[in-house]
Amino acid sequence: MTAVQTSPEQNGDVPDAAGQEQFPAGAQVLVRDEVWLVRNAVPTRDDGSRVEVVGVSDFVRDQEAVFFTRLDTIELIDPRDTRLIADDSPNYRRSRLFLEAVLRRTALPQSERRLALADSFLLDSLPYQRRPAELALSGANLRPRLLIADVVGLGKTLEIGLTLAELIRRGRGERILVVTPQHVLEQFQHELWTRFSIPLVRLDSVGIERIQREIPAGRNPFTYFKRVIVSIDTLKNTDQYRHHLEQIRWDAVVIDESHNLINRGSLRNQLAQTLAPRTDALILASATPHNGDARSFAELIGLLDPAAIRDPENYRAEDIEHLFIRRTKISTEVREQMKGQWADRGPSQAVHCPATPAEEKVFEELAAVWLPEDGRPSVSSVPLFPYTLLKSFLSSHAAFRATVTARTKTLEKKDDPQGTAAELAALRRLTELTADLTEADSAKFGALVEQLKEIGVGPASDTRVVVFSERVQTLEWLAGVLPAALGFRGRAAKESLRVMHGGLSDEQQMRVVEEFGLAGAPVRILLTGDVASEGVNLHRQCHQLVHYDVPWSLIRIEQRNGRIDRYGQAHPPQFHALILTSGTEGAKDDTLVSERLLEREDQAHRSLGTAEAVTGLYRAEAEEKSLIQDLLRGRTVDESLDGHRSDEDAGTAAMDDFLADFFGAVGEDPDAPAGAQAEAAGSPAGTPGGGTPTDAGTATGAVLPRLFDSTAHFLDEALREVYPDARERLDLDRDEQSGLLSFRPPADLLHRLKALPVDYLREQRLRERLLVTFNRRLAQHSLQRAREAGSTSSWPEISLLTDLHPVVEWLTDKVLVRLGRQEAPMITANVAEPVFLVQGVYSNTLGRPTVVKWMGVTRHGAVDDDMVSLLRRSGVGPTMANELRYRDPAPLAEAVPDALAAAEAFMERHRDAWDRPLRESIERHKLRLGDWEQPTLAGEQTKRRLTDLADDLLTTGQRPMLRVLAVLLPDPDAPPAAPVSPSAAPAAR
């Protein structure tokens, strides 16, 4: 394998500091008198290019290292010094594997904007889930940046995984940071590994302690691990990691539940402001991205593209369609593609619970003293507190007592005996009324037990249920009395129920979620607060949900329901809500608010696909506060929900119309994904990675140059080449019928497996034996089995081999280093004259390829820029014969410089045509930047920075990097073959 960096001094050019060195992935370099294989190279601010390598020569073989061009001399090998060698392997296997490995290790160029890997992962083929990745790669924005705002349950994690996979294939995903709420860390990590083979090191509270023990003191943990997932609460609260983040750049940052970033000045917002300028790709995800304030939402969009919005008070959805995608369950493309794959939810069932005599006494007291309807004032001096009191009572007597106690303590601390006497007396009366209440006095509790028994929850059943409550006191009280009431005894009573709320640690929350998702776990009931209403998947083993109390927010109700009403749900989700009713005149029971909210949420879900825009407030907290204030004014629930817009001035009403744009479907047309098709350039649809055909009629698949018809065939041949005695050395076992591969990982592969989740390594004993397969059905069965009865872990025993899997990458690198320094094989093939196989790469100043060409070049200067087709026409394949005939390399070596000169001339001749689409796209961005006027110094600095970034994306003025890969030689005993036909002006790839 050979490479050259043509010198800018040879051109008479002054080298650009940022792009002086080009080190394409897969090239071999000489550093410290050892040969290394380049994995990735990026420019740094102070130390030149940062080059990640793996050892090739014997002394450093398989060792990983990082070099900086300002600190070390890194020499790309001159192809004019190429040593042509014979290949003695059967069927020229070594040469074919080497060429395939180079093709696989070379990043896709900037001009390739279609998806390359979408059909190779462990997920259903749903085009709507590919659309965010298409938008990110479309060129509609300078960088791959977007906000995925699909409603609850459509599969945003899968959409993120697809996007990251495509970035990795383009060399833009080496360093990845994923930031999520703490309770979904493991869930997110699990999905990215099991579905996409993207390993993330989890930095939760336990993970941080482990890492601090493993790395040197003072070492930045984010340089130690390339791809990590970390809780947003860990990052925002830990100063020792904030300063580490400020010293590192990422290829891609993902922030889940990104609506939490909106509040300016908050720790979460500060974290986002730290990360946004320090990453190339930025993916934000939220089903509720808008808080109702245009300026706040503009700030969120500004994290993605500071110049996207000119006026933060006045903009439309089309202004940010290159950054924003949103679909609902009733969107046409979603509805059509999800037929039969997502069971329709049932209606929300209100379960009326007539109040017990003890509860009626409390209702009477509340109606007479705290919430009178006859015009008399409330006993409380705080207008909203009576409704806080009411809501706690509608939850449970335990929550009610806690609220009364807290208010009593607050009033007793005040130095105003006369002003607080009446309310304190009323509070003492409530304390007396509830002092002796037990579960026998709770109508809701009795109805809950009856309801759970009716749906089948009990000791002899596998049925599971999620029970939501806003109050921690209610959850803890239910945890103490519910198992026994359902017939659970002894150890089963403890194991049958789990409680989750915000007071638990991140590790405890993740453990609860994992247990509830395992069919083999004994847990049957999950009591949870609204901490589980965002992002958590609870649908794997459950389709029953009970609202023990109902939040006074349509958004919160929808978020709760979305935990089991989501993509992958096999059964129709069933929702029940306990509605406490009272016969007391003037009593404000659950029929006043809760029951009507349930009906309105169901109506909105069926007609609009989401309930977020009904009130025009867009935040759960704002909805509840507004509703209580309207109740104080004497309005009904419907008047409050429908009258919000009518009470506002014209300007605010216009703002509501504007916000409505963002809560329909943005970019819904599958034939026009927000500019993706208009910007798309490159190859027509074809076969993506692994040789799996794309869906007929789609135009989303990139044609990847491949010699092998599938990744499976490549891996099979690579194992034979690298480990001819694999049965002994690796204890390899192959099940030909199922496609299962089982082997003992060698030391160099174990080193790569350190990036896998620690729990997965331990539970599946991967350090001792790996089970992998290309059979998707087998991998899916293993994943499903991990969730079924008898399993104690959600991690599957068998993993799917994708192009991104560490095993595939390991063997690819092993194949690359089979050839020595500056060696290229000679292959006898069906050609009329010697043909040199040459790779040519143009890059931008960021070190990313803008054009990659695979050429066949004769010594007379004829160039064919479709190397793969040339190889196939020449009979290079698994059935070709290797007669081990000696060929003199000396005359061929003399022709290498002429072949390189012809390849360079060909690339220079067509460079302008290849660059034109990229230049036009970037010029449009620069024109938009020219119209973006900001009066502040910071605004002008941002404008200059974005203009510089646009220029950095253009192909540099340097000559192309050229690499000689192999030479095809004619068979002297074969009939004359057709000569190489020169290519016309080709499309860039």
Side-chain angles (χ1 to χ4, degrees):
M1 180 176 176
T2 55
V4 66
Q5 168 59 53
T6 54
S7 170
E9 286 78 10
Q10 293 173 338
N11 281 354
D13 296 334
V14 177
D16 181 271
Q20 183 175 1
E21 300 85 14
Q22 297 180 42
F23 302 100
Q28 286 187 354
V29 293
L30 188 64
V31 189
R32 302 182 186 180
D33 203 35
E34 298 293 343
V35 180
W36 307 80
L37 184 74
V38 176
R39 283 186 173 171
N40 188 50
V42 293
T44 66
R45 179 177 301 175
D46 301 315
D47 298 318
S49 291
R50 180 184 190 275
V51 186
E52 297 182 15
V53 296
V54 61
V56 173
S57 51
D58 290 339
F59 186 69
V60 295
R61 189 176 299 276
D62 295 320
Q63 292 185 27
E64 295 179 335
V66 176
F67 297 113
F68 294 87
T69 55
R70 296 267 177 88
L71 306 178
D72 282 284
T73 300
I74 305 177
E75 179 185 344
L76 274 162
I77 300 171
D78 189 336
R80 289 168 294 193
D81 300 328
T82 297
R83 189 163 65 93
L84 301 178
I85 62 169
D87 180 355
D88 60 0
S89 64
N91 312 109
Y92 289 101
R93 181 176 64 202
R94 188 175 307 128
S95 299
R96 291 185 295 107
L97 285 168
F98 168 72
L99 292 171
E100 175 77 6
V102 173
L103 291 169
R104 288 173 172 272
R105 269 303 188 191
T106 300
L108 294 180
Q110 197 167 301
S111 56
E112 181 54 84
R113 291 170 177 162
R114 301 188 183 190
L115 305 191
L117 304 176
D119 287 314
S120 60
F121 301 119
L122 196 61
L123 64 164
D124 297 324
S125 180
L126 296 173
Y128 86 83
Q129 290 184 343
R130 302 177 185 180
R131 296 267 313 290
E134 292 171 350
L135 177 58
L137 300 174
S138 68
N141 191 23
L142 284 177
R143 295 170 288 183
R145 295 186 160 214
L146 74 159
L147 168 57
I148 304 175
D150 288 345
V151 300
V152 172
L154 291 192
K156 288 188 287 296
T157 303
L158 301 181
E159 293 168 352
I160 291 168
L162 276 171
T163 305
L164 291 177
E166 293 292 338
L167 292 175
I168 291 170
R169 185 60 184 86
R170 286 158 174 79
R172 304 178 75 169
E174 285 299 304
R175 304 192 61 79
I176 296 174
L177 172 67
V178 177
V179 183
T180 74
Q182 59 186 14
H183 52 278
V184 296
L185 278 175
E186 183 164 328
Q187 174 182 294
F188 206 107
Q189 181 190 35
H190 185 276
E191 289 288 281
L192 259 64
W193 170 251
T194 59
R195 302 291 185 182
F196 304 98
S197 301
I198 300 176
L200 300 172
V201 175
R202 191 172 79 223
L203 300 185
D204 53 23
S205 55
V206 173
I208 288 174
E209 293 178 5
R210 176 177 57 83
I211 290 164
Q212 287 175 328
R213 292 193 299 267
E214 292 182 1
I215 65 176
R219 177 82 178 269
N220 187 337
F222 300 111
T223 62
Y224 190 75
F225 297 107
K226 294 197 303 181
R227 297 171 183 165
V228 301
I229 182 169
V230 60
S231 158
I232 190 168
D233 293 308
T234 297
L235 288 186
K236 77 179 180 64
N237 290 329
T238 309
D239 291 339
Q240 66 186 101
Y241 288 103
R242 285 291 302 277
H243 80 272
H244 285 316
L245 292 174
E246 292 171 353
Q247 302 301 318
I248 195 168
R249 288 197 62 85
W250 302 92
D251 290 317
V253 169
V254 176
I255 305 180
D256 195 20
E257 305 297 342
S258 55
H259 54 275
N260 294 317
L261 308 176
I262 287 178
N263 297 325
R264 178 178 284 274
S266 68
L267 292 174
R268 287 184 172 94
N269 181 268
Q270 292 173 25
L271 172 64
Q273 297 291 347
T274 298
L275 293 174
R278 292 173 173 83
T279 181
D280 176 39
L282 178 60
I283 305 170
L284 307 179
S286 173
T288 55
H290 217 304
N291 68 350
D293 179 73
R295 182 172 287 276
S296 293
F297 187 59
E299 183 179 333
L300 188 65
I301 295 299
L303 294 172
L304 302 170
D305 181 0
I309 295 174
R310 297 185 189 179
D311 182 358
E313 300 287 356
N314 184 21
Y315 53 96
R316 309 295 300 184
E318 55 264 28
D319 296 331
I320 62 169
E321 64 180 358
H322 61 296
L323 299 165
F324 182 72
I325 189 167
R326 177 178 176 81
R327 283 78 52 87
T328 71
K329 190 177 179 181
I330 66 169
S331 296
T332 303
E333 60 174 324
V334 176
R335 186 175 62 248
E336 291 302 315
Q337 294 167 27
M338 291 300 297
K339 283 182 178 178
Q341 299 188 59
W342 186 349
D344 288 333
R345 60 180 260 185
S348 296
Q349 298 287 344
V351 179
H352 282 211
C353 312
T356 64
E359 289 172 327
E360 286 289 17
K361 291 180 180 179
V362 178
F363 271 123
E364 291 170 2
E365 185 71 13
L366 291 175
V369 178
W370 296 90
L371 291 163
E373 287 193 329
D374 54 6
R376 291 182 294 109
S378 171
V379 71
S380 178
S381 59
V382 178
L384 295 180
F385 177 71
Y387 278 98
T388 301
L389 195 61
L390 173 65
K391 286 196 67 185
S392 67
F393 178 62
L394 295 176
S395 179
S396 71
H397 61 271
F400 186 64
R401 276 200 293 259
T403 302
V404 170
T405 300
R407 179 62 178 167
T408 299
K409 291 180 179 178
T410 298
L411 292 179
E412 288 175 343
K413 292 178 182 178
K414 291 187 175 183
D415 188 17
D416 184 15
Q418 186 174 354
T420 60
E423 187 172 354
L424 281 171
L427 289 168
R428 283 192 288 271
R429 171 64 178 156
L430 293 177
T431 301
E432 294 170 359
L433 289 174
T434 58
D436 299 324
L437 293 187
T438 67
E439 61 270 22
D441 299 301
S442 171
K444 277 192 174 184
F445 180 78
L448 174 66
V449 172
E450 182 179 342
Q451 193 67 40
L452 296 187
K453 288 181 176 179
E454 185 176 317
I455 63 177
V457 178
S461 171
D462 292 332
T463 302
R464 301 191 182 195
V465 65
V466 181
V467 180
F468 270 99
S469 172
E470 292 185 304
R471 303 300 179 117
V472 173
Q473 297 85 1
T474 300
L475 297 173
E476 293 175 343
W477 164 66
L478 287 174
V481 296
L482 185 57
L486 291 171
F488 292 99
R489 297 289 183 267
R491 181 177 178 182
K494 182 178 180 180
E495 294 179 340
S496 66
L497 183 144
R498 292 290 180 270
V499 178
M500 189 166 80
H501 53 72
L504 302 182
S505 70
D506 51 0
E507 188 72 18
Q508 289 171 319
Q509 291 183 28
M510 287 187 292
R511 192 181 306 122
V512 168
V513 172
E514 181 183 19
E515 278 189 85
F516 193 70
L518 289 173
V523 59
R524 295 293 176 265
I525 307 157
L526 175 60
L527 301 175
T528 180
D530 286 319
V531 67
S533 67
E534 293 185 356
V536 180
N537 294 334
L538 301 177
H539 66 294
R540 301 296 184 192
Q541 307 296 335
C542 176
H543 64 280
Q544 299 282 356
L545 185 149
V546 176
H547 299 279
Y548 194 82
D549 51 44
V550 179
W552 285 11
S553 161
L554 297 176
I555 291 174
R556 189 69 76 202
I557 295 171
E558 181 176 67
Q559 288 175 334
R560 284 184 176 185
N561 291 346
R563 296 314 99 210
I564 65 169
D565 180 24
R566 57 198 305 107
Y567 169 65
Q569 176 59 266
H571 306 280
Q574 301 293 325
F575 310 114
H576 300 84
L578 305 182
I579 302 298
L580 186 62
T581 64
S582 172
T584 299
E585 185 177 353
K588 291 177 171 52
D589 60 14
D590 273 323
T591 61
L592 175 72
V593 175
S594 298
E595 187 167 20
R596 187 56 187 144
L597 287 176
L598 291 169
E599 294 168 354
R600 291 295 298 267
E601 186 275 338
D602 189 59
Q603 292 169 8
H605 177 83
R606 296 182 188 284
S607 61
L608 303 175
T610 178
E612 292 160 307
V614 171
T615 65
L617 295 171
Y618 307 101
R619 286 183 301 144
E621 297 80 5
E623 282 188 334
E624 180 173 337
K625 183 177 179 180
S626 176
L627 177 57
I628 292 175
Q629 289 173 338
D630 283 341
L631 292 173
L632 286 169
R633 297 187 188 108
R635 291 182 174 181
T636 65
V637 170
D638 287 318
E639 288 170 343
S640 177
L641 297 180
D642 298 331
H644 177 70
R645 291 178 175 84
S646 62
D647 287 350
E648 296 169 335
D649 58 33
T652 308
M655 182 60 64
D656 283 335
D657 291 338
F658 144 72
L659 291 176
D661 283 352
F662 298 94
F663 286 88
V666 177
E668 183 176 352
D669 183 2
D671 294 323
Q677 296 299 327
E679 296 285 348
S683 308
T687 303
T692 306
T694 57
D695 294 338
T698 67
T700 58
V703 173
L704 295 183
R706 293 285 172 85
L707 293 182
F708 287 75
D709 60 2
S710 71
T711 301
H713 290 162
F714 169 71
L715 183 136
D716 187 54
E717 288 279 280
L719 276 173
R720 288 192 176 95
E721 173 66 21
V722 178
Y723 290 101
D725 52 353
R727 287 191 179 276
E728 290 74 31
R729 289 184 62 188
L730 302 180
D731 192 19
L732 176 68
D733 184 55
R734 186 193 307 265
D735 187 328
E736 299 292 347
Q737 185 172 359
S738 68
L740 177 66
L741 288 175
S742 169
F743 65 97
R744 184 179 63 253
D748 54 344
L749 178 55
L750 280 175
H751 181 71
R752 296 177 185 241
L753 296 182
K754 287 180 65 176
L756 298 183
V758 175
D759 293 344
Y760 178 44
L761 287 169
R762 182 183 64 254
E763 292 169 8
Q764 297 300 339
R765 304 174 69 179
L766 298 187
R767 296 181 182 90
E768 300 173 22
R769 195 158 197 84
L770 276 178
L771 300 178
V772 294
T773 185
F774 285 101
N775 185 334
R776 288 193 209 179
R777 186 172 297 178
L778 178 61
Q780 181 63 47
H781 177 69
S782 178
L783 181 59
Q784 185 65 33
R785 192 172 57 214
R787 302 187 182 114
E788 291 177 351
S791 175
T792 58
S793 171
S794 62
W795 294 102
E797 183 183 24
I798 302 169
S799 63
L800 179 70
L801 287 168
T802 73
D803 284 3
L804 306 182
H805 198 287
V807 169
V808 176
E809 292 186 337
W810 164 68
L811 274 174
T812 301
D813 287 348
K814 299 286 279 188
V815 164
L816 283 172
V817 301
R818 298 289 285 175
L819 270 69
R821 184 192 304 184
Q822 294 180 270
E823 293 181 344
M826 297 181 293
I827 306 170
T828 300
N830 184 26
V831 292
E833 58 181 318
V835 180
F836 295 88
L837 305 182
V838 180
Q839 180 197 25
V841 178
Y842 282 119
S843 298
N844 58 31
T845 58
L846 300 176
R848 302 187 193 118
T850 56
V851 176
V852 176
K853 303 304 297 180
W854 306 95
M855 298 170 282
V857 185
T858 71
R859 70 174 88 195
H860 303 298
V863 178
D864 184 337
D865 79 324
D866 190 347
M867 185 182 79
V868 173
S869 294
L870 169 64
L871 288 167
R872 287 174 179 156
R873 292 196 308 270
S874 304
V876 176
T879 60
M880 68 187 303
N882 185 352
E883 297 179 359
L884 301 178
R885 179 180 290 142
Y886 173 75
R887 310 300 291 267
D888 184 5
L892 297 168
E894 293 177 359
V896 167
D898 290 339
L900 290 171
E904 181 172 352
F906 175 83
M907 294 193 71
E908 288 293 338
R909 192 161 58 247
H910 298 297
R911 171 177 174 165
D912 185 68
W914 294 332
D915 270 351
R916 190 175 302 121
L918 178 60
R919 286 200 310 271
E920 291 172 351
S921 173
I922 289 176
E923 284 304 316
R924 286 195 293 271
H925 286 293
K926 293 174 74 171
L927 285 173
R928 182 157 58 87
L929 278 171
D931 294 336
W932 184 67
E933 297 296 339
Q934 292 293 313
T936 65
L937 176 61
E940 285 304 311
Q941 291 173 339
T942 297
K943 186 174 180 177
R944 284 196 300 271
R945 178 169 56 82
L946 292 175
T947 302
D948 291 343
L949 172 63
D951 291 334
D952 287 343
L953 296 176
L954 292 168
T955 302
T956 66
Q958 297 180 16
R959 295 162 62 187
M961 192 287 301
L962 299 175
R963 299 167 60 191
V964 175
L965 304 176
V967 59
L968 304 182
L969 301 177
D971 185 345
D973 299 329
V980 171
S981 300
S983 295
R989 285 196 285 272

